[in-house]
Amino acid sequence: MIDKQSKLKVLESIKDKEMKILVSSVLDKAIKFEKTDSISFTNFLNMNELNIVKKALDYLNIKYFEFYTNSYIEKRNLAFIPGYLENKKEDIFKEHVSCIKIIPKAKGKLQHKDYMGAIYSLGIKREVVGDIIAKDEASYFFCMKNVEEYFIYNLTSVGRQEIDLKVLDLYCDEVQNLSLKFIEKDYIIPSLRVDALLSEVYNLSRSETKEKIVKGDLYINDRNIFYPNITISNGDIVSFRKCGKLRVGEEIRKTRNSNIVLRIYNYS
């Protein structure tokens, strides 16, 4: 059982106020689950939130399940499920999360930012919306089941384009095979500092890059970063406001003058 003292000890170690509130709410779900043995589901957690929440749960030896449709999905849900229902995890997931396909009447005229703008303009809290994946012919987004009907009735257009909506089974091939588009390219950089990488990828001067980072334009794994000298690692997801988003790949080799050849996957 989770005791009050253990919970307070975990929360004291978290300095960010909003993150502390989030972890506290998840621990409350775990406590309720222990008392009632009833299913408890979180909203969508981004990569940074997921990492901190899972560390807290692991520290307290709390068993949980992580839900997502495939490895490309970044925002995920955690759940507490009774042992006798563990073999029905997929059915439980479908009871709590939806995937909605947005089909525009006119093909090829909408971008990811258009879909994202239309979805969030409805006043829905961000934590009840998961990944938004835009394709050439359509877009897909995940949401909590309790707001599915709201979207069906209120999401009627995207970027002034008429659309149709279709709710898909989370485990159908179309959803299971969803993937993001990447443009793969190798860059030569002097070090693994994030400012060195971003300057090269987005053709900015180091001073321009540092200014944007200090201003708050950089996110690594959904965590807002203000320090240009942070070192990036293989697998990091880097978002640079008004420039783009990329995934850090593997270090290919070093050049004769000790520069690093690094593989980068740019989100298209």
Side-chain angles (χ1 to χ4, degrees):
M1 292 290 290
I2 308 170
D3 58 71
K4 186 177 180 180
Q5 187 175 359
S6 297
K7 178 185 174 182
L8 289 175
K9 185 177 180 180
V10 169
L11 295 178
E12 285 173 0
S13 67
I14 301 171
K15 304 306 179 185
D16 182 85
K17 184 178 179 181
E18 290 187 4
M19 191 62 68
K20 184 175 292 191
I21 293 171
L22 172 64
V23 173
S24 178
S25 69
V26 174
L27 293 181
D28 286 342
K29 288 179 181 291
I31 293 170
K32 181 180 179 181
F33 169 73
E34 286 189 338
K35 291 180 178 178
T36 64
D37 208 29
S38 58
I39 298 167
S40 187
F41 235 83
T42 71
N43 287 322
F44 291 96
L45 303 173
N46 65 35
M47 296 174 70
N48 183 45
E49 293 167 339
L50 195 66
N51 181 49
I52 294 173
V53 169
K54 287 167 68 174
K55 280 184 178 178
L57 295 172
D58 291 340
Y59 175 80
L60 295 170
N61 293 315
I62 301 170
K63 184 178 181 179
Y64 59 86
F65 293 90
E66 183 175 346
F67 285 93
Y68 54 95
T69 55
N70 61 48
S71 59
Y72 288 99
I73 299 302
E74 293 177 8
K75 294 183 179 180
R76 303 180 177 188
N77 311 88
L78 298 181
F80 308 102
I81 299 173
Y84 66 90
L85 290 176
E86 288 182 15
N87 62 340
K88 296 184 177 180
K89 293 192 298 291
E90 291 187 0
D91 292 332
I92 293 171
F93 189 22
K94 289 193 287 186
E95 290 175 1
H96 288 81
V97 175
S98 293
C99 180
I100 300 177
K101 181 178 182 180
I102 304 175
I103 308 163
K105 298 289 180 68
K107 306 299 181 184
K109 294 186 178 182
L110 297 174
Q111 300 177 15
H112 182 273
K113 63 180 181 181
D114 299 314
Y115 293 109
M116 185 169 65
I119 290 167
Y120 287 124
S121 70
L122 296 178
I124 290 287
K125 292 181 179 179
R126 287 183 173 265
E127 59 264 30
V128 299
V129 178
D131 287 53
I132 303 169
I133 300 175
K135 299 289 186 178
D136 293 335
E137 73 289 349
S139 179
Y140 305 78
F141 73 96
F142 296 86
C143 67
M144 300 305 292
K145 195 74 174 179
N146 57 9
V147 295
E148 174 192 293
E149 188 173 337
Y150 180 84
F151 278 118
I152 296 301
Y153 284 103
N154 292 282
L155 185 57
T156 57
S157 64
V158 174
R160 297 185 180 180
Q161 297 288 329
E162 291 185 29
I163 60 169
D164 289 322
L165 297 180
K166 182 180 180 182
V167 178
L168 302 177
D169 187 302
L170 287 177
Y171 291 95
C172 72
D173 289 343
E174 188 172 0
V175 175
Q176 289 292 299
N177 294 327
L178 277 178
S179 61
L180 301 173
K181 284 187 176 180
F182 297 103
I183 298 173
E184 181 182 318
K185 186 176 179 180
D186 295 342
Y187 291 87
I188 299 175
I189 54 177
S191 74
L192 292 176
R193 282 176 50 140
V194 70
D195 60 341
L197 171 66
L198 294 174
S199 295
E200 184 64 32
V201 172
Y202 297 119
N203 196 27
L204 300 170
S205 69
R206 290 288 281 271
S207 60
E208 287 176 314
T209 303
K210 288 179 181 179
E211 184 179 343
K212 282 177 63 61
I213 292 173
V214 171
K215 192 174 70 174
D217 287 349
L218 173 64
Y219 288 81
I220 300 178
N221 300 328
D222 290 316
R223 182 184 178 190
N224 202 185
I225 301 296
F226 298 90
Y227 306 103
N229 61 348
I230 288 288
T231 300
I232 44 90
S233 303
N234 189 354
D236 281 347
I237 304 295
V238 180
S239 298
F240 206 32
R241 191 174 292 160
K242 294 185 178 179
C243 289
K245 184 176 180 180
L246 59 84
R247 177 163 61 85
V248 179
E250 61 273 26
E251 186 177 325
I252 304 301
R253 59 184 174 85
K254 287 193 174 179
T255 64
R256 290 181 179 178
N257 57 356
S258 297
N259 285 331
I260 299 167
V261 179
L262 188 68
R263 182 151 297 164
I264 294 297
Y265 301 88
N266 279 291
Y267 286 65
S268 63

